[in-house]
Amino acid sequence: MEAPHSPAAEAVAVARFAVETPEQMQEVGRRLAKLLRPGDLVMLTGELGAGKTTLTRGLGEGLGVRGAVTSPTFVIARVHPSLTGGPALVHVDAYRLGGGLDEMEDLDLDVSLPDSVVAVEWGDGKVEDLSDDRLHVVIHRVVAHTDDDRRHVTLTGFGARWAAVDLAAAGA
């Protein structure tokens, strides 16, 4: 489930860890928010119910943004302005978008990106060209009939922006 990436951006940082509960996934988002800055593109990949929105909710809390962070599936994108003078969080759900970057351009994410943190769920194959520097978050969950809430999270930084970032600091 690795995302394709532009040749100019190579993986420069990787962290892997397990998350036992939804509360821990939200905490990963809060910790990850401390590593983010305006202009960061965060791609979230995982099965339905894996925890992409839960992690993004933690990002919103950690960034100190306004509004409840909920799934933007039906509105495609939501902007959460900062309450603390930091970057806004632009939360995008690209699940229903099939046209790749052309369709994403209609959302003007390239305009939002320099001043915001842009988190895109289901962005594989659609948003990689927005930035050579991006963070790819892959969340794997058990998909069999089970009450196991455990998730395996892999954070992969692409591009020079992530070369000196300790992604393990976001781990649970």
Side-chain angles (χ1 to χ4, degrees):
M1 202 184 284
E2 294 300 314
H5 60 279
S6 64
E10 295 299 323
V12 295
V14 177
R16 292 179 178 88
F17 47 87
V19 175
E20 301 290 331
T21 66
E23 294 78 20
Q24 283 183 351
M25 185 67 75
Q26 201 161 332
E27 179 61 25
V28 168
R30 286 190 288 270
R31 290 180 187 170
L32 186 56
K34 294 176 183 175
L35 304 176
L36 297 175
R37 63 184 188 205
D40 283 342
L41 173 63
V42 181
M43 293 175 39
L44 298 126
T45 300
E47 298 90 357
L48 285 170
K52 298 177 297 294
T53 300
T54 300
L55 186 140
T56 306
R57 187 172 300 117
L59 287 179
E61 290 175 6
L63 291 170
V65 301
R66 183 174 44 126
V69 175
T70 60
S71 177
T73 299
F74 297 105
V75 296
I76 308 296
R78 283 196 172 94
V79 177
H80 298 276
S82 176
L83 294 172
T84 63
L89 173 65
V90 179
H91 185 198
V92 179
D93 187 330
Y95 183 76
R96 295 186 298 140
L97 301 178
L101 192 58
D102 290 340
E103 200 168 349
M104 295 302 288
E105 284 179 358
D106 291 340
L107 298 175
D108 286 332
L109 293 181
D110 54 337
V111 173
S112 301
L113 190 56
D115 300 318
S116 306
V117 170
V118 177
V120 183
E121 297 184 29
W122 305 100
D124 291 4
K126 299 174 184 171
V127 299
E128 289 87 349
D129 289 334
L130 284 174
S131 177
D132 284 339
D133 297 312
R134 64 188 178 278
L135 180 64
H136 189 192
V137 179
V138 178
I139 305 170
H140 289 285
R141 70 175 180 92
V142 177
V143 292
H145 295 290
T146 179
D147 58 0
D148 187 353
D149 281 338
R150 189 177 19 197
R151 307 295 196 257
H152 296 280
V153 178
T154 302
L155 306 176
T156 306
F158 290 91
R161 154 72 176 102
W162 297 101
V165 177
D166 178 14
L167 294 176

